[in-house]
Amino acid sequence: MPTSPLRSRRTVKASRALGVALTPKAQKYLDRRPYGPGQHGRTRRRADSDYAVRLREKQRLRAQYGIREVQMLRYYEEANRREGRTGEVLIQLLETRLDALVLRSGFARTIAQARQFVVHRHITVNGKRVDRPSFRVKPGQTIQVHERSEKFEPFQVAASGAHQDVLPAVPGYLTVEIDKLQATLSRLPERSEVPVTCEEQLVVEYYAR
């Protein structure tokens, strides 16, 4: 399930614009060119307005989960209705998406690949196939690659632990048996454990304006 060169270039460009690596490949480019894309990327920009800062932070969070604006708004509205700090609840809702947990477990290399695996029905939750990337995983539920899919090369690569060299360490809210391509959400994530780059309060301020 290769990534097209055009999509790869777009992802690298978006990563440089947002200042956060959206894929392991983009991280290599950011390490070499830690500035925005384009001929003026190195030049110092004028100070952004408060709105621009909040907008960029919202775009940064949305890009890391690869979701559309309408989905992001719905997550914010749900987080705002719940008890607790809205920003932290928002991150928790995003992080318990099935595609996000497939990525965190090391079954996929990027969020786009994780979503593709789910949509193509390669992933089960408690033994049942789920094809919705937005499916919300609950504590105690087990995510696993379907037995018929385990033989495919991307999953053989994942089972060898190859992605662990380029992905963040498995967070504490997941129990992963990578050789079995199995992971269990042991509890809800805490914000400090979630490996996303974002000042979530600025995202909240963007939507609350």
Side-chain angles (χ1 to χ4, degrees), residues 4-207:
S4 71
L6 180 58
R7 176 180 292 181
S8 180
R9 287 197 296 272
R10 287 174 176 170
T11 302
V12 169
K13 186 174 181 180
S15 297
R16 292 176 64 194
L18 295 171
V20 59
L22 301 177
T23 64
K25 183 176 181 179
Q27 182 64 62
K28 296 178 181 179
Y29 278 87
L30 280 180
D31 290 342
R32 294 202 303 264
R33 300 178 180 179
Y35 47 82
Q39 60 178 331
H40 302 297
R42 293 175 182 268
T43 60
R44 193 173 199 174
R45 298 179 180 178
R46 64 182 180 180
D48 289 329
S49 66
D50 289 343
Y51 172 78
V53 170
R54 293 193 293 268
L55 173 62
R56 186 169 58 249
E57 205 64 23
K58 184 266 296 182
Q59 291 173 323
R60 177 183 291 185
L61 180 60
R62 187 165 67 87
Q64 288 175 86
Y65 285 99
I67 62 175
R68 300 187 303 275
E69 175 60 30
V70 65
Q71 292 175 296
M72 188 71 171
L73 177 59
R74 288 172 184 163
Y75 281 115
Y76 163 75
E77 290 173 342
E78 181 176 353
N80 197 39
R81 291 192 299 267
R82 292 194 174 199
E83 294 184 3
R85 301 185 63 175
T86 301
E88 294 181 2
V89 175
L90 173 61
I91 298 293
Q92 190 178 83
L93 292 174
L94 291 168
E95 189 63 13
T96 50
R97 286 172 55 98
L98 178 56
D99 57 355
L101 293 178
V102 168
L103 175 65
R104 301 289 181 244
S105 299
F107 301 167
R109 187 178 174 88
T110 67
I111 190 66
Q113 187 181 51
R115 179 175 299 106
Q116 188 179 44
F117 288 164
V118 175
V119 170
H120 290 178
R121 296 171 57 83
H122 293 304
I123 304 299
T124 67
V125 178
N126 281 4
K128 296 182 179 180
R129 280 179 165 167
V130 177
D131 60 5
R132 287 191 299 111
S134 62
F135 178 88
R136 188 168 301 162
V137 181
K138 299 177 181 178
Q141 290 187 320
T142 297
I143 304 163
Q144 191 166 10
V145 174
H146 194 276
E147 59 182 4
R148 293 183 181 177
S149 302
E150 291 179 354
K151 63 180 181 294
F152 296 147
E153 182 182 0
F155 298 118
Q156 290 294 310
V157 171
S160 72
H163 299 332
Q164 295 176 343
D165 293 335
V166 295
L167 294 176
V170 175
Y173 44 89
L174 277 171
T175 301
V176 177
E177 295 179 86
I178 194 64
D179 58 323
K180 297 180 181 179
L181 294 172
Q182 179 177 302
T184 300
L185 180 65
S186 54
R187 56 179 172 78
L188 291 174
E190 295 181 10
R191 174 61 186 101
S192 60
E193 302 173 293
V194 179
V196 294
T197 302
C198 175
E199 293 185 42
E200 60 274 9
Q201 184 55 37
L202 293 177
V203 180
V204 173
E205 292 173 5
Y206 171 84
Y207 284 112

